[in-house]
Amino acid sequence: VEMSGITREVIQSIHKPLEKVYHPKKNIIPNKVKMKKGQLMGQPIMYLFYAMVGAMILFFGIKVIIGLQETGEDVEYASFISDLRKSVETVYSDASGSTYGLEKITIPGEINEICFVGDYEEGVVSDPELDTRIQLIDDYSESNLFFGGVDLDKHKHKLDVVVSGIICDSTRDRKLNLILENMGTYVAVK
């Protein structure tokens, strides 16, 4: 039976799935695309390019993540200093004799000791590096708050408090166990 020029065999061959049969004389597998010689040489270069792009994405991704982590630590440190300043201002504006505990202030992880210094006293500071840094300061009216375990550019600050001698607190428990007290005309650290 012929249907408009197409035989039944042709229709059946169209609907049959193509089979991969090895032809020994032709040495080919049907339905396999043959590559040109230049295409075969270009493939390893493409894979090398993909590997380089992947490595660059990983490198820059890790660099951005590390940068964000350092920025987070800087923000944590700045907010800690700001919280200390606000605490001093709060106590100063309260009535004479009022006190304020600093244990609720969040301490950055890198700080291992905090010292308020009025006059240097030997043997009070437990961190030897911090003790050396404090000894190098000539005028404690310019810097009276020192941190152990931090970089040199972050280790000293000025707060409007009065301290007699040195008052230090180890912050390994992540709490600042010091009290601010309004003495009428100034704030003292105890």
Side-chain angles (χ1 to χ4, degrees), residues 78-102:
S79 68
F80 171 66
I81 298 297
S82 175
D83 289 346
L84 280 175
R85 291 185 196 282
K86 287 177 187 173
S87 298
V88 170
E89 290 171 10
T90 301
V91 171
Y92 186 73
S93 64
D94 285 349
S96 179
S98 61
T99 60
Y100 186 83
L102 300 175

Side-chain angles (χ1 to χ4, degrees), residues 109-175:
E110 60 187 6
I111 295 176
N112 59 22
E113 187 171 16
I114 296 175
C115 293
F116 288 90
V117 180
D119 295 312
Y120 180 75
E121 296 174 6
E122 197 166 326
V124 177
V125 182
S126 61
D127 183 357
E129 184 179 344
L130 180 60
D131 190 41
T132 304
R133 289 179 183 177
I134 292 172
Q135 287 179 29
L136 294 174
I137 301 297
D138 294 330
D139 186 10
Y140 295 116
S141 64
E142 292 180 16
S143 299
N144 63 353
L145 174 61
F146 299 89
F147 303 124
V150 296
D151 296 333
L152 279 173
D153 61 335
K154 296 180 179 179
H155 87 283
K156 63 181 181 176
H157 293 276
K158 169 73 173 136
L159 282 183
D160 294 327
V161 296
V162 174
V163 182
S164 59
I166 295 181
I167 298 174
C168 292
D169 183 35
S170 174
T171 59
R172 298 200 193 286
D173 61 352
R174 310 303 339 137
K175 291 183 180 178

Side-chain angles (χ1 to χ4, degrees), residues 10 15 18 37 46 81 95 127 129 150 160 164 180 184 186:
V10 171
H15 292 296
L18 297 173
K37 290 182 182 179
M46 292 281 292
I81 298 297
D127 183 357
E129 184 179 344
V150 296
D160 294 327
S164 59
L180 299 175
Y186 63 91

